[in-house]
Amino acid sequence: MNNSRIASIFSQIADLLEIQDENPFRIRSYRRAAQAIESCAEDLASWALHRGDQPLHLPGIGSGMSQKIREIATEGRCREHQDLLGRLPSGLLDFLRVPGLGPRKTGLIYRELGISTLAQLERAAREGKLQALPGMGAKSESKILRGIEDLKKVAGRVLWIEAEQEIQEIRTRMTACPEIQTLEVAGSFRRRRDTVGDIDILAIGSIAEPVMETFCSLPAVKEVLARGTTRSSIRLESGLQVDLRLVPPESFPAALQYFTGSQAHNVALRERAKRSGYKINEYGLFREPEDAPCPIAGEEDLYRICGMDWIPPELRENRGELEASAAGRLPKLVEWQDIRGDLHNHTRDSDGACTMEELALWADCRGYEYLAITDHSKSLTVAHGLDERRLLRQMEEIDRWNARADKPFRVRLLKGCEVDIKADGSLDLDPEVLSRLDLVIASVHSHMSMPRDEMTERIVRAMSYGCVHLLAHPTGRILLQREPFDLDMEKIFGAALRWGVALELNAFPARLDLDDIHCRMAKEKGVKVAINSDTHAAEHFHFLRYGVFQARRGWLEKGDVLNTQSLDELRATLRQGKRIPAGLA
Ligand code: DGT
Ligand code: CA
Ligand code: CA
Ligand code: ZN
């Protein structure tokens, strides 16, 4: 039970109260508590376990809230939350995933129309029944309809990080079972796809019965879909399906290759094997025509008989990796150890939870050479964005830290800012002030549903100010929630090249924006990619690893990634980027 899980229970309590039109003060106190928990640097589960009798010094958390945190941390649930869940149809929680539909409107719809499933909601919207409700109109109705369409497209998938959390729990319990010798997760999870449809687990085990028994009685199981001696399937409380296949040791490498996929990769690999006179399936490798089994020690052998090097799972999408491997030209993919610093981080000055000094100490723990401080700009009022005056003050503070001989950290702080791109493509802060920074990040946080040409123009215009170094979360997508902006990426890359702007791969697990295809495009066009955590709280620093996974899926190598450079190289790149192209000065 980590802090974000505890926080999410608190914010769900707030949602459930709001759906029931309860006291706004009560609702707000739960929201505030959720926020405090989310950004708390201490692990609350271990607080509850070891020091639960001591008070928690968190804003908005009194003794009642502390008691609930203890309850959740020790028992995994809390009474109040369970009671609220019991009082409302569970389908209403799905409404909250529809963009444009918050808890207040959800409650209104439920009370007025008595509907509680997404299918009923869709029908009501199509019949124009939503716009008749007080405070709603034709516009919000069509927005809700579009939101439902988007939701249907991603139905059933979860974020990679959510699958990882489930897998950690499953792995711990399963490997405690003495009959299991080996356990690997295959499928899209092993390929590090940004979202996962279901989890595919392979195991070598001596006796099936106790293995399947352990699997089917995992605490998170909601339903056993199938139970056999070589294969079982379960559905978890979270809705995620998990398949377990038990294979004999001699079949394991072939099964691992087969169930890792992707299907398109497997089809192409099998064809190559056939041309070399072999057959590959999930049971093993066989020489044709006599169908003679060939012993294999690992996946490497399967690729080798086809004349190829082993292919990292992240690349197995049949996007040219087989050809590259056969030609001995697989990329040497970037690794997290290559990353020398993080270029996108927020402090308490805007919407972060840490001070500059805390961030610097965390960056030291990760062995970073540099850390850019990049708070939001003034038009982002919800994030308490900085105006020119506050930014200048912050720059002085950074200079003071860097100059101090007795500072408690080694990392070099870079003066930066995440400046908002306004609707017309202008920047939210004076370009003259911005040009005094080490690093200027530009990004879109408002007016997100512009038509393609307008949105492209807007971002290109922002990049064309001489002072911008990096375009952050370029397509604005939120996985499973918000579609990317409608953008002409060819034009964006063109402008990035022309104006010396790098593109960010934002490593927040629900963003991972750029996606794998766009990373690959960046590489081919020669546009640098910066992999950033977009840290708002200490526990976000490690998100960087998810960004690295995605970068690997996009074929990126160390040299393609801006923040693998040393501080000196980085400074040179940033300066060079800012030369105004000839003829345009
Ligand atoms: P997902 O679960 O939608 O995120 O994606 P995957 O890739 O994990 O797909 P899944 O779970 O349906 O199957 C796992 C792997 O098993 C898949 O990547 C390749 C292999 N596989 C499954 N069905 C077939 C099939 O009909 N033909 C071939 N060649 N491979 C298959
Ligand atoms: Ca799968
Ligand atoms: Ca599957
Ligand atoms: Zn940001």
Side-chain angles (χ1 to χ4, degrees):
M1 186 58 70
N2 59 21
N3 289 1
S4 350
R5 283 215 170 179
I6 301 176
S8 71
I9 293 181
F10 274 68
S11 52
Q12 198 169 73
I13 292 177
D15 288 342
L16 291 164
L17 289 170
E18 198 168 353
I19 291 175
Q20 297 187 68
D21 206 15
E22 286 267 354
N23 180 339
F25 292 105
R26 209 159 145 230
I27 298 168
R28 208 170 316 139
S29 68
Y30 276 103
R31 293 222 190 281
R32 220 177 296 135
Q35 241 168 21
I37 294 167
E38 179 75 56
S39 53
C40 167
E42 183 179 359
D43 179 47
L44 291 173
S46 50
W47 163 80
L49 222 54
H50 305 296
R51 295 178 305 282
D53 50 338
Q54 295 166 21
L56 262 183
H57 298 291
L58 281 181
I61 307 266
S63 63
M65 292 288 183
S66 303
Q67 173 50 33
K68 293 201 175 78
I69 295 176
R70 257 193 304 273
E71 203 182 328
I72 297 170
T74 50
E75 291 162 37
R77 53 179 67 194
C78 97
R79 270 286 295 277
E80 161 128 40
H81 183 226
Q82 296 296 319
D83 288 350
L84 283 166
L85 283 176
R87 241 179 283 155
L88 289 168
S90 59
L92 288 181
L93 289 175
D94 297 334
F95 285 24
L96 300 179
R97 290 164 42 230
V98 179
L101 194 54
R104 206 184 48 78
K105 281 186 188 161
T106 296
L108 179 75
I109 293 170
Y110 174 56
R111 277 190 303 278
E112 298 288 324
L113 305 175
I115 59 179
S116 59
T117 68
L118 278 182
Q120 291 169 334
L121 180 69
E122 184 174 3
R123 202 170 327 122
R126 290 205 190 286
E127 289 167 0
K129 287 186 182 151
L130 299 185
Q131 50 174 298
L133 296 174
M136 308 254 290
K139 215 169 146 192
S140 39
E141 187 175 71
S142 65
K143 189 163 177 212
I144 288 172
L145 256 183
R146 265 203 318 276
I148 296 173
E149 289 298 320
D150 289 349
L151 264 188
K152 280 203 277 191
K153 268 187 245 157
V154 301
R157 301 193 73 83
V158 301
L159 297 181
W160 192 92
I161 187 178
E162 288 167 342
E164 183 189 34
Q165 280 166 0
E166 303 281 11
I167 285 169
Q168 274 165 356
E169 181 76 24
I170 294 174
R171 199 189 276 281
T172 312
R173 304 231 171 217
M174 294 298 291
T175 47
C177 172
E179 286 78 11
I180 290 186
Q181 286 138 35
T182 301
L183 190 122
E184 281 298 340
V185 182
S188 52
F189 182 81
R190 184 165 179 240
R191 302 199 311 279
R192 308 288 191 242
R193 260 196 75 175
D194 48 17
T195 62
V196 169
D198 70 358
I199 299 177
D200 306 280
I201 302 180
L202 292 178
I204 303 177
S206 39
I207 322 166
E209 182 50 33
V211 174
M212 293 310 182
E213 176 57 28
T214 310
F215 182 66
C216 293
S217 51
L218 287 167
V221 172
K222 185 176 182 190
E223 189 186 349
V224 175
L225 302 171
R227 178 170 172 165
T229 49
T230 58
R231 181 185 163 174
S232 294
S233 289
I234 54 177
R235 187 173 304 288
L236 304 178
E237 289 290 349
S238 62
L240 195 60
Q241 183 179 326
V242 188
D243 299 336
L244 171 70
R245 290 181 179 81
L246 207 54
V247 299
E250 64 276 13
S251 289
F252 190 78
L256 181 61
Q257 196 289 319
Y258 180 89
F259 289 107
T260 297
S262 67
Q263 193 168 330
H265 173 92
N266 287 355
V267 170
L269 179 69
R270 277 201 303 264
E271 259 158 36
R272 282 175 179 263
K274 210 160 145 190
R275 272 183 261 143
S276 316
Y278 289 91
K279 184 176 89 186
I280 296 178
N281 57 29
E282 65 260 55
Y283 305 106
L285 170 69
F286 304 88
R287 203 177 35 248
E288 298 279 51
E290 64 275 28
D291 217 17
C294 310
I296 48 171
E299 280 185 334
E300 290 81 359
D301 292 342
L302 292 175
Y303 287 98
R304 196 171 43 239
I305 61 106
C306 303
M308 284 186 278
D309 295 326
W310 178 81
I311 299 178
E314 294 94 325
L315 296 183
R316 300 186 194 171
E317 299 290 345
N318 195 27
R319 293 179 185 152
E321 71 279 9
L322 295 157
E323 294 77 4
S325 178
R329 277 205 292 270
L330 276 177
K332 186 174 175 332
L333 300 177
V334 63
E335 296 177 30
W336 64 264
Q337 295 94 325
D338 296 330
I339 302 293
R340 319 261 293 248
D342 198 324
L343 298 177
H344 186 167
N345 304 281
H346 297 268
T347 72
R348 260 189 217 170
D349 286 347
S350 64
D351 58 349
C354 299
T355 62
M356 203 181 283
E357 184 180 357
E358 284 164 346
L359 285 185
L361 290 167
W362 282 107
D364 263 6
C365 290
R366 300 184 60 89
Y368 286 157
E369 214 175 305
Y370 46 86
L371 180 80
I373 302 298
T374 56
D375 278 309
H376 289 289
S377 63
K378 63 189 173 201
S379 73
L380 218 58
T381 46
V382 285
H384 197 45
L386 278 62
D387 58 14
E388 286 82 353
R389 195 180 49 85
R390 288 176 62 214
L391 179 61
L392 286 165
R393 264 217 318 265
Q394 195 189 54
M395 289 161 67
E396 285 166 17
E397 188 188 346
I398 294 175
D399 282 336
R400 273 200 305 278
W401 272 120
N402 282 331
R404 257 177 68 175
D406 63 337
K407 58 179 179 289
F409 52 83
R410 286 186 311 269
V411 71
R412 177 79 186 183
L413 296 177
L414 300 179
K415 290 172 282 189
C417 174
E418 179 179 13
V419 63
D420 231 50
I421 300 176
K422 296 202 276 191
D424 64 356
S426 63
L427 300 176
D428 187 33
L429 292 172
D430 181 358
E432 194 282 318
V433 174
L434 291 173
S435 65
R436 297 190 221 168
L437 293 164
D438 299 314
L439 176 80
V440 177
I441 302 181
S443 60
V444 168
H445 290 108
S446 63
H447 303 92
M448 307 209 193
S449 41
M450 286 184 167
R452 185 183 179 90
D453 290 349
E454 232 174 287
M455 189 57 119
T456 307
E457 279 292 299
R458 170 186 180 185
I459 294 178
V460 167
R461 172 152 183 238
M463 288 197 281
S464 75
Y465 284 89
C467 56
V468 174
H469 298 98
L470 183 61
L471 177 66
H473 41 78
T475 78
R477 75 167 180 180
I478 306 288
L479 284 164
L480 311 179
Q481 264 182 53
R482 189 168 79 209
E483 290 289 304
F485 308 145
D486 195 359
L487 274 184
D488 183 340
M489 285 306 280
E490 287 283 341
K491 281 200 180 143
I492 298 291
F493 282 115
L497 262 189
R498 178 172 184 193
W499 299 102
V501 175
L503 262 55
E504 177 181 77
L505 195 186
N506 187 294
F508 242 69
R511 283 197 188 263
L512 294 173
D513 176 14
L514 299 174
D515 68 17
D516 45 4
I517 306 265
H518 290 150
C519 284
R520 184 101 177 261
M521 265 172 97
K523 180 194 179 90
E524 272 155 21
K525 311 241 176 223
V527 171
K528 284 258 186 299
V529 174
I531 309 175
N532 295 327
S533 69
D534 197 356
T535 282
H536 285 72
E539 70 267 23
H540 296 161
F541 266 122
H542 81 278
F543 285 169
L544 210 96
R545 95 183 242 270
Y546 307 111
V548 172
F549 291 160
Q550 171 114 316
R552 291 168 62 86
R553 286 182 54 81
W555 293 54
L556 297 190
E557 300 176 273
K558 187 177 171 184
D560 303 316
V561 178
L562 182 63
N563 48 329
T564 61
Q565 298 185 342
S566 69
L567 180 60
D568 288 341
E569 290 166 335
L570 176 74
R571 281 194 188 287
T573 308
L574 293 177
R575 261 198 311 274
Q576 178 193 23
K578 291 307 99 207
R579 255 199 326 249
I580 309 284
L584 287 161

